[in-house]
CSV table of all heavy atoms in Angstrom, one decimal:
chain,number,residue,atom,x,y,z
A,18,ARG,N,131.2,112.0,67.7
A,18,ARG,CA,131.8,111.4,68.9
A,18,ARG,C,131.5,112.4,70.1
A,18,ARG,O,131.3,111.9,71.3
A,18,ARG,CB,133.2,111.2,68.7
A,18,ARG,CG,133.5,110.0,67.7
A,18,ARG,CD,135.0,109.6,67.6
A,18,ARG,NE,135.2,108.4,66.9
A,18,ARG,CZ,135.8,108.3,65.8
A,18,ARG,NH1,136.4,109.4,65.2
A,18,ARG,NH2,135.9,107.1,65.2
A,19,GLN,N,131.8,113.7,69.9
A,19,GLN,CA,131.5,114.7,71.0
A,19,GLN,C,130.1,114.7,71.5
A,19,GLN,O,129.9,114.6,72.7
A,19,GLN,CB,131.9,116.1,70.6
A,19,GLN,CG,133.4,116.2,70.2
A,19,GLN,CD,133.8,117.4,69.5
A,19,GLN,OE1,132.8,118.3,69.1
A,19,GLN,NE2,135.0,117.7,69.1
A,20,ILE,N,129.1,114.5,70.7
A,20,ILE,CA,127.7,114.4,71.0
A,20,ILE,C,127.5,113.2,71.9
A,20,ILE,O,126.9,113.2,73.0
A,20,ILE,CB,126.8,114.5,69.9
A,20,ILE,CG1,126.8,115.9,69.3
A,20,ILE,CG2,125.3,114.1,70.2
A,20,ILE,CD1,126.1,115.8,67.9
A,21,ILE,N,128.0,112.1,71.3
A,21,ILE,CA,127.7,110.8,72.0
A,21,ILE,C,128.5,110.8,73.4
A,21,ILE,O,127.8,110.4,74.5
A,21,ILE,CB,128.3,109.7,71.2
A,21,ILE,CG1,127.5,109.4,70.0
A,21,ILE,CG2,128.3,108.2,72.0
A,21,ILE,CD1,128.0,108.5,68.9
A,22,GLU,N,129.7,111.3,73.5
A,22,GLU,CA,130.4,111.3,74.7
A,22,GLU,C,129.6,112.3,75.7
A,22,GLU,O,129.6,112.0,77.0
A,22,GLU,CB,131.8,111.8,74.6
A,22,GLU,CG,132.7,110.7,73.7
A,22,GLU,CD,134.0,111.2,73.1
A,22,GLU,OE1,134.3,112.3,73.4
A,22,GLU,OE2,134.6,110.4,72.5
A,23,LYS,N,129.1,113.3,75.3
A,23,LYS,CA,128.4,114.2,76.2
A,23,LYS,C,127.2,113.6,76.7
A,23,LYS,O,126.8,113.5,78.0
A,23,LYS,CB,128.1,115.5,75.4
A,23,LYS,CG,127.2,116.5,76.3
A,23,LYS,CD,127.0,117.8,75.5
A,23,LYS,CE,126.2,118.8,76.5
A,23,LYS,NZ,125.9,120.0,75.6
A,24,ASP,N,126.4,112.9,75.8
A,24,ASP,CA,125.2,112.2,76.2
A,24,ASP,C,125.6,111.1,77.3
A,24,ASP,O,124.8,110.8,78.3
A,24,ASP,CB,124.4,111.6,75.2
A,24,ASP,CG,123.7,112.6,74.3
A,24,ASP,OD1,123.4,113.7,74.9
A,24,ASP,OD2,123.4,112.4,73.1
A,25,LEU,N,126.7,110.3,77.0
A,25,LEU,CA,127.0,109.2,78.1
A,25,LEU,C,127.4,109.9,79.3
A,25,LEU,O,127.1,109.3,80.3
A,25,LEU,CB,128.2,108.5,77.4
A,25,LEU,CG,127.8,107.5,76.2
A,25,LEU,CD1,129.1,106.9,75.6
A,25,LEU,CD2,126.8,106.5,76.6
A,26,ALA,N,128.1,111.0,79.3
A,26,ALA,CA,128.5,111.6,80.5
A,26,ALA,C,127.4,112.1,81.3
A,26,ALA,O,127.4,112.0,82.6
A,26,ALA,CB,129.6,112.8,80.2
A,27,GLN,N,126.5,112.7,80.6
A,27,GLN,CA,125.2,113.2,81.4
A,27,GLN,C,124.1,112.2,81.7
A,27,GLN,O,123.2,112.5,82.2
A,27,GLN,CB,124.6,114.3,80.5
A,27,GLN,CG,125.5,115.5,80.3
A,27,GLN,CD,125.0,116.7,79.4
A,27,GLN,OE1,123.9,116.4,78.9
A,27,GLN,NE2,125.6,117.8,79.5
A,28,GLY,N,124.3,111.0,81.1
A,28,GLY,CA,123.4,109.9,81.3
A,28,GLY,C,122.0,110.2,80.7
A,28,GLY,O,121.0,109.7,81.1
A,29,THR,N,122.0,110.8,79.5
A,29,THR,CA,120.8,111.2,78.8
A,29,THR,C,119.9,110.1,78.6
A,29,THR,O,118.7,110.2,78.7
A,29,THR,CB,121.2,111.9,77.5
A,29,THR,OG1,122.2,112.9,77.7
A,29,THR,CG2,120.0,112.3,76.7
A,30,TYR,N,120.4,108.9,78.2
A,30,TYR,CA,119.6,107.8,77.9
A,30,TYR,C,119.8,106.6,78.9
A,30,TYR,O,119.5,105.4,78.7
A,30,TYR,CB,120.0,107.2,76.4
A,30,TYR,CG,119.5,108.2,75.4
A,30,TYR,CD1,120.5,109.0,74.8
A,30,TYR,CD2,118.2,108.4,75.0
A,30,TYR,CE1,120.2,110.0,73.9
A,30,TYR,CE2,117.9,109.3,74.0
A,30,TYR,CZ,118.8,110.1,73.4
A,30,TYR,OH,118.5,111.1,72.5
A,31,ALA,N,120.4,106.9,80.0
A,31,ALA,CA,120.7,105.9,81.0
A,31,ALA,C,119.6,105.1,81.6
A,31,ALA,O,119.7,104.0,82.0
A,31,ALA,CB,121.5,106.5,82.1
A,32,GLU,N,118.4,105.7,81.6
A,32,GLU,CA,117.1,105.1,82.2
A,32,GLU,C,116.4,104.2,81.2
A,32,GLU,O,115.3,103.8,81.5
A,32,GLU,CB,116.2,106.2,82.8
A,32,GLU,CG,116.9,107.0,83.9
A,32,GLU,CD,117.4,106.1,84.9
A,32,GLU,OE1,116.7,105.2,85.4
A,32,GLU,OE2,118.5,106.3,85.4
A,33,ARG,N,116.8,104.2,79.9
A,33,ARG,CA,116.1,103.4,78.9
A,33,ARG,C,116.0,102.0,79.2
A,33,ARG,O,116.9,101.4,79.9
A,33,ARG,CB,116.8,103.5,77.5
A,33,ARG,CG,116.7,104.8,76.8
A,33,ARG,CD,117.4,104.8,75.5
A,33,ARG,NE,118.7,104.4,75.7
A,33,ARG,CZ,119.4,103.3,75.1
A,33,ARG,NH1,118.7,102.6,74.2
A,33,ARG,NH2,120.7,102.9,75.3
A,34,ARG,N,115.0,101.4,78.8
A,34,ARG,CA,114.8,100.0,79.0
A,34,ARG,C,114.6,99.3,77.6
A,34,ARG,O,114.2,100.0,76.6
A,34,ARG,CB,113.5,99.6,79.8
A,34,ARG,CG,113.6,100.4,81.2
A,34,ARG,CD,112.4,100.0,82.1
A,34,ARG,NE,112.6,98.7,82.7
A,34,ARG,CZ,113.4,98.5,83.8
A,34,ARG,NH1,114.1,99.5,84.3
A,34,ARG,NH2,113.4,97.3,84.3
A,35,TRP,N,114.9,98.0,77.5
A,35,TRP,CA,114.9,97.2,76.2
A,35,TRP,C,114.3,96.0,76.4
A,35,TRP,O,114.8,95.2,77.2
A,35,TRP,CB,116.3,97.2,75.6
A,35,TRP,CG,116.5,96.4,74.3
A,35,TRP,CD1,117.1,95.3,74.2
A,35,TRP,CD2,115.9,96.7,73.1
A,35,TRP,NE1,117.1,94.8,72.9
A,35,TRP,CE2,116.3,95.7,72.2
A,35,TRP,CE3,114.9,97.7,72.6
A,35,TRP,CZ2,115.9,95.6,70.8
A,35,TRP,CZ3,114.7,97.7,71.3
A,35,TRP,CH2,115.1,96.6,70.4
A,36,ALA,N,113.2,95.7,75.7
A,36,ALA,CA,112.5,94.4,75.9
A,36,ALA,C,113.0,93.3,75.0
A,36,ALA,O,112.5,92.2,74.9
A,36,ALA,CB,111.1,94.7,75.7
A,37,GLY,N,114.1,93.6,74.1
A,37,GLY,CA,114.7,92.6,73.3
A,37,GLY,C,114.1,92.7,71.9
A,37,GLY,O,114.6,92.0,71.0
A,38,VAL,N,113.0,93.4,71.8
A,38,VAL,CA,112.4,93.6,70.5
A,38,VAL,C,111.9,95.0,70.4
A,38,VAL,O,111.7,95.7,71.4
A,38,VAL,CB,111.2,92.6,70.3
A,38,VAL,CG1,111.6,91.2,70.2
A,38,VAL,CG2,110.1,92.9,71.4
A,39,PRO,N,111.7,95.5,69.1
A,39,PRO,CA,111.1,96.8,68.9
A,39,PRO,C,109.7,96.9,69.5
A,39,PRO,O,108.9,95.9,69.5
A,39,PRO,CB,111.0,97.1,67.5
A,39,PRO,CG,112.1,96.1,66.9
A,39,PRO,CD,112.1,94.9,67.8
A,40,GLY,N,109.3,98.0,70.1
A,40,GLY,CA,107.9,98.2,70.6
A,40,GLY,C,107.8,99.6,71.2
A,40,GLY,O,108.8,100.3,71.4
A,41,GLY,N,106.6,99.9,71.4
A,41,GLY,CA,106.2,101.2,72.1
A,41,GLY,C,106.5,101.2,73.6
A,41,GLY,O,107.1,100.2,74.1
A,42,ALA,N,106.0,102.3,74.2
A,42,ALA,CA,106.3,102.4,75.6
A,42,ALA,C,105.7,101.3,76.5
A,42,ALA,O,106.3,100.9,77.4
A,42,ALA,CB,105.6,103.8,76.1
A,43,ASP,N,104.6,100.7,76.1
A,43,ASP,CA,104.0,99.6,76.9
A,43,ASP,C,104.9,98.3,76.9
A,43,ASP,O,105.0,97.6,77.8
A,43,ASP,CB,102.6,99.3,76.3
A,43,ASP,CG,102.6,98.9,74.9
A,43,ASP,OD1,103.5,99.4,74.2
A,43,ASP,OD2,101.6,98.1,74.4
A,44,ILE,N,105.6,98.1,75.7
A,44,ILE,CA,106.4,96.9,75.6
A,44,ILE,C,107.8,97.2,76.3
A,44,ILE,O,108.3,96.4,77.0
A,44,ILE,CB,106.6,96.5,74.1
A,44,ILE,CG1,105.3,96.0,73.6
A,44,ILE,CG2,107.7,95.5,74.0
A,44,ILE,CD1,105.3,95.6,72.1
A,45,GLN,N,108.4,98.3,75.9
A,45,GLN,CA,109.7,98.6,76.4
A,45,GLN,C,109.8,98.8,77.9
A,45,GLN,O,110.7,98.5,78.6
A,45,GLN,CB,110.3,99.9,75.7
A,45,GLN,CG,110.5,99.7,74.2
A,45,GLN,CD,111.3,98.6,73.8
A,45,GLN,OE1,112.0,97.9,74.5
A,45,GLN,NE2,111.3,98.3,72.4
């Protein structure tokens, strides 16, 4: 929980994109 809360506070994955299906960089 501490790791997740730290990542959320720092926006570690805030820029991720999701195409609705699994895929590599070109799809996501």
Side-chain angles (χ1 to χ4, degrees):
R18 287 189 171 113
Q19 292 167 2
I20 289 169
I21 292 171
E22 289 166 6
K23 181 179 178 181
D24 283 339
L25 291 175
Q27 296 179 348
T29 304
Y30 296 98
E32 301 302 317
R33 282 178 312 122
R34 306 185 78 80
W35 175 243
V38 293
D43 56 336
I44 292 177
Q45 301 300 353

